[in-house]
Amino acid sequence: MELEKNKLDSNKARDLNDSRTVIERGRRIKIAAEIGLVASSKGRQWSRALHRRLLRKKGRDYSNKNGCNNYQMMNNVGKEDHEEGGDEVVEIERRVRVLQSLVPGGEAMEMESLFEETADYIEALEGQVSAMRALATFLDGLEKKWIM
Amino acid sequence: MQPCSREMQAMALQELQIAAHDDFFDQMLSSLPPSWPDLGNPKSPWDLAGKPQDDPAGEYPPYDESSLLASRLRQHQISGGGGSGGSPAEKSMGLHLAQHQQMMLAAGMGRSSPVGAGDGGLIPMPLSLGNGGSSDSRLLLDRSRDEVDAAFKPPNSTGSEGIYNGFSSGSAQRMAQAANQQHFQGSPVPSQSFGAAPPSSGNTTTQAAAAPPRQRVRARRGQATDPHSIAERLRRERIAERMKALQELVPNANKTDKASMLDEIIDYVKFLQLQVKVLSMSRLGGAAAVAPLVADVSSEAGRGGGGGSGGSDSLAVTEHQVAKLMEEDMGSAMQYLQGKGLCLMPISLASAISSATARTTSSLIPSSLNHINSNNNNGGVGAGINGGDGPSSPSMSVLTVQSAMGAGSDTMKDAASVSKP
């Protein structure tokens, strides 16, 4: 009996620690974090784009995830700095493109609005990180019993 | 900046409905935030170069929506006649004052709420006596210049006669252009600028002569009058502003070069996103899940802390493993790291974090931190993520692993940092 129970426990433990479940749990938590991000700054373009992305993830079956995005992507990517010549522009534009890929909804933004959105996005992310860190510390404390 | 201008907008809204000219003006002045440029400046270093051009209305298309809105508003006002007392004058003043500074906001507002009926028309335009203030104010010329005179205290009517050119509907556009040609920092109060205009004889154009013919806007030295280049210049200025704001947000932002600044920004955003991901995985994912990992690693770390070289062997193993993975595919490397509860970040941030948390945690910061700097890569190395800076989280240790990837990719910042929660 005990052996069986132990085996069961160890099975459960193995499942809990199984990398897949951990990763899955982590993903779900990350989605929750992104929802938090969206909720905290609703008025911004990036938050709207992130919201759309989340909804798409949820309703993947019946929403058209391809339809709306494509023309958005074609839209403003070309509108960059024409004035300077040669290498510098290419360098900068490359980085701008990378930034566009990082910030949600960035492909549809011009340089100016991209920077604005980036600043807001950075602030939101920092807030998110510190909130999560505080939460993690608290949970850790709960578990290790320094708090309770 | 934005909330400020919104306040101003609300104020503008109220002010516009006030009939008394003087009161309006005083209120407007008093409501300006103190940080705005010196309004009491009687002397405008810049003279009436802002004459609108004498070309037919259609020649210069409004170069952005705000000026389009402005021209529409002007037409509306002019067609609407005298309106109520000084309100057209006030409105036009507010309108032009707003144009220069808050282009973006104006454009946005213009898009969202077009000219309303009657007196409400100006509302979308945020009030600002910023950059273009003086020039704009001078260009506020209105057919109803009597009202303007009445509105502003020192009406130097004779001298400033020439300032008040009548405007056709297209003038708003020209004014916008002219206004934007004069990138003007100080913004003397409109009344005072009118007063200042007559004394400013020498410089350019619009002499006080009665009804002078409209002359071409005299450009400032080294700047073109071409509307496209003006637009470009404005745009570049705006971008520079935003870059400055970003610089304040991002740590280590002392780079002067635009490209390297962008690099820093990109790295920082990636870092933050990664932090969110790792935090969600390693900590909140359930401490129980991580416990066995921790057990192993903390024993390693213990050894690492005790005897530098002994511990670093196991770390080196991890290091090499990660490096190998990184060579093939970044994604798999990241997953490997995440499986171990580790993360990747640029070294500058790592040192910042570790120094910040060194006080709070009783962490064993192993000597492996030293061999970070030994391998010289593109300057990027890793740091540890603090899983929790709580009251001396006992299981905290910072371990830095450096990737051996030198030549691979130019953007790789090459260090995995490991923090064991």
Side-chain angles (χ1 to χ4, degrees):
Chain A
M1 267 293 266
E2 277 196 18
L3 283 176
E4 286 178 17
K5 202 161 72 158
N6 284 341
K7 218 192 269 181
L8 234 121
D9 282 345
S10 65
N11 275 344
K12 209 191 298 178
R14 229 180 298 132
D15 283 343
L16 271 179
N17 303 335
D18 184 20
S19 52
R20 272 179 215 283
T21 51
V22 169
I23 292 178
E24 182 54 39
R25 209 181 312 157
R27 281 207 197 104
R28 271 184 262 140
I29 292 176
K30 179 160 183 280
I31 291 176
E34 285 173 350
I35 294 176
L37 269 178
V38 168
S40 67
S41 58
K42 276 195 174 141
R44 285 286 180 165
Q45 200 173 339
W46 66 261
S47 84
R48 270 176 274 142
L50 187 56
H51 194 195
R52 257 175 275 137
R53 198 194 291 175
L54 287 171
L55 285 178
R56 236 184 305 134
K57 250 195 244 182
K58 255 197 152 181
R60 199 174 275 261
D61 309 318
Y62 42 83
S63 70
N64 67 334
K65 55 179 178 159
N66 290 324
C68 308
N69 254 359
N70 290 342
Y71 69 78
Q72 236 187 2
M73 286 186 60
M74 304 315 281
N75 217 350
N76 281 335
V77 179
K79 275 197 207 167
E80 277 132 359
D81 211 342
H82 297 300
E83 286 303 299
E84 303 146 309
D87 272 342
E88 314 163 5
V89 185
V90 174
E91 286 293 307
I92 290 182
E93 290 201 5
R94 187 158 46 92
R95 289 169 170 95
V96 168
R97 255 184 274 273
V98 175
L99 193 56
Q100 277 178 331
S101 66
L102 283 178
V103 176
E107 285 90 5
M109 295 184 207
E110 286 192 2
M111 245 174 98
E112 317 175 20
S113 38
L114 181 64
F115 286 167
E116 212 183 314
E117 296 286 323
T118 305
D120 200 65
Y121 185 54
I122 287 180
E123 283 181 356
L125 276 177
E126 285 175 351
Q128 186 70 38
V129 164
S130 60
M132 286 173 78
R133 195 178 281 173
L135 191 59
T137 311
F138 174 68
L139 289 175
D140 204 33
L142 262 188
E143 195 210 340
K144 304 213 171 127
K145 316 256 181 349
W146 343 297
I147 293 188
M148 300 253 192
Chain B
M1 216 166 161
Q2 267 192 356
C4 173
S5 61
R6 278 201 207 110
E7 277 172 50
M8 291 314 302
Q9 227 173 306
M11 307 279 285
L13 231 172
Q14 297 167 5
E15 329 257 29
L16 288 173
Q17 290 158 8
I18 296 172
H21 320 164
D22 296 343
D23 289 349
F24 159 75
F25 196 63
D26 286 344
Q27 278 186 1
M28 209 174 68
L29 282 184
S30 58
S31 62
L32 290 166
S35 63
W36 282 6
D38 180 12
L39 299 172
N41 185 11
K43 234 191 286 188
S44 57
W46 178 84
D47 308 281
L48 270 183
K51 268 313 282 288
Q53 313 161 16
D54 194 10
D55 39 353
E59 189 177 316
Y60 283 82
Y63 70 88
D64 73 354
E65 300 185 28
S66 61
S67 59
L68 188 58
L69 177 62
S71 59
R72 250 188 280 140
L73 274 171
R74 290 275 330 154
Q75 293 181 22
H76 180 82
Q77 287 172 15
I78 291 167
S79 62
S84 59
S87 48
E90 295 153 5
K91 269 189 267 182
S92 58
M93 175 163 71
L95 187 149
H96 298 297
L97 286 173
Q99 265 181 1
H100 191 91
Q101 184 82 5
Q102 305 281 347
M103 273 306 166
M104 283 292 292
L105 189 55
M109 295 304 294
R111 259 179 253 125
S112 60
S113 59
V115 176
D119 285 2
L122 187 53
I123 292 169
M125 302 296 283
L127 248 187
S128 126
L129 283 185
N131 281 349
S134 70
S135 61
D136 295 335
S137 57
R138 238 172 270 154
L139 302 176
L140 276 191
L141 319 184
D142 203 338
R143 290 220 188 100
S144 53
R145 67 173 186 239
D146 315 308
E147 291 152 358
V148 177
D149 273 347
F152 306 125
K153 293 269 177 79
N156 300 344
S157 45
T158 50
S160 40
E161 190 84 1
I163 305 171
Y164 302 116
N165 303 307
F167 274 86
S168 63
S169 55
S171 64
Q173 307 168 12
R174 276 172 262 143
M175 276 196 284
Q177 291 167 10
N180 292 312
Q181 285 174 1
Q182 339 286 344
H183 294 279
F184 191 49
Q185 283 306 322
S187 62
V189 162
S191 64
Q192 286 155 338
S193 69
F194 291 127
S200 65
S201 49
N203 250 348
T204 43
T205 62
T206 47
Q207 270 312 314
R214 308 240 177 88
Q215 307 178 13
R216 211 150 257 281
V217 177
R218 177 83 65 93
R220 291 188 352 169
R221 188 170 291 170
Q223 293 176 351
T225 42
D226 182 25
H228 297 298
S229 61
I230 292 171
E232 276 300 315
R233 216 185 314 135
L234 247 189
R235 182 172 161 265
R236 252 178 272 146
E237 280 183 8
R238 262 179 269 158
I239 289 181
E241 272 179 43
R242 307 267 159 79
M243 284 282 286
K244 241 182 289 172
L246 273 174
Q247 245 182 343
E248 289 167 19
L249 274 182
V250 175
N252 276 350
N254 44 12
K255 316 279 191 300
T256 47
D257 181 22
K258 208 173 176 186
S260 49
M261 195 52 224
L262 274 174
D263 274 338
E264 282 294 318
I265 293 169
I266 287 173
D267 286 339
Y268 191 54
V269 171
K270 278 196 207 157
F271 162 66
L272 285 175
Q273 287 177 337
L274 191 57
Q275 234 181 344
V276 169
K277 203 166 184 189
V278 170
L279 273 174
S280 66
M281 290 264 305
S282 71
R283 277 323 203 72
L284 303 178
V290 191
L293 285 176
V294 173
D296 293 0
V297 174
S298 55
S299 60
E300 288 178 13
R303 266 182 285 124
S309 56
S312 62
D313 285 349
S314 49
L315 303 180
V317 169
T318 318
E319 216 180 78
H320 288 124
Q321 183 67 12
V322 171
K324 221 188 318 171
L325 278 175
M326 275 204 232
E327 274 162 18
E328 340 165 333
D329 170 29
M330 201 49 206
S332 60
M334 295 298 289
Q335 283 199 340
Y336 176 78
L337 280 177
Q338 283 174 4
K340 288 191 163 284
L342 312 181
C343 82
L344 189 69
M345 73 173 75
I347 207 183
S348 44
L349 291 164
S351 34
I353 290 176
S354 64
S355 62
T357 56
R359 311 169 235 129
T360 58
T361 65
S362 60
S363 57
L364 333 150
I365 299 185
S367 52
S368 59
L369 266 178
N370 294 335
H371 72 231
I372 297 167
N373 299 316
S374 58
N375 296 5
N376 199 10
N377 272 331
N378 297 342
V381 181
I385 275 191
N386 284 337
D389 345 339
S392 58
S393 164
S395 48
M396 176 81 61
S397 75
V398 175
L399 178 70
T400 344
V401 171
Q402 190 163 21
S403 124
M405 268 192 68
S409 57
D410 44 350
T411 56
M412 272 299 249
K413 294 295 186 178
D414 310 339
S417 61
V418 170
S419 99
K420 323 278 185 178

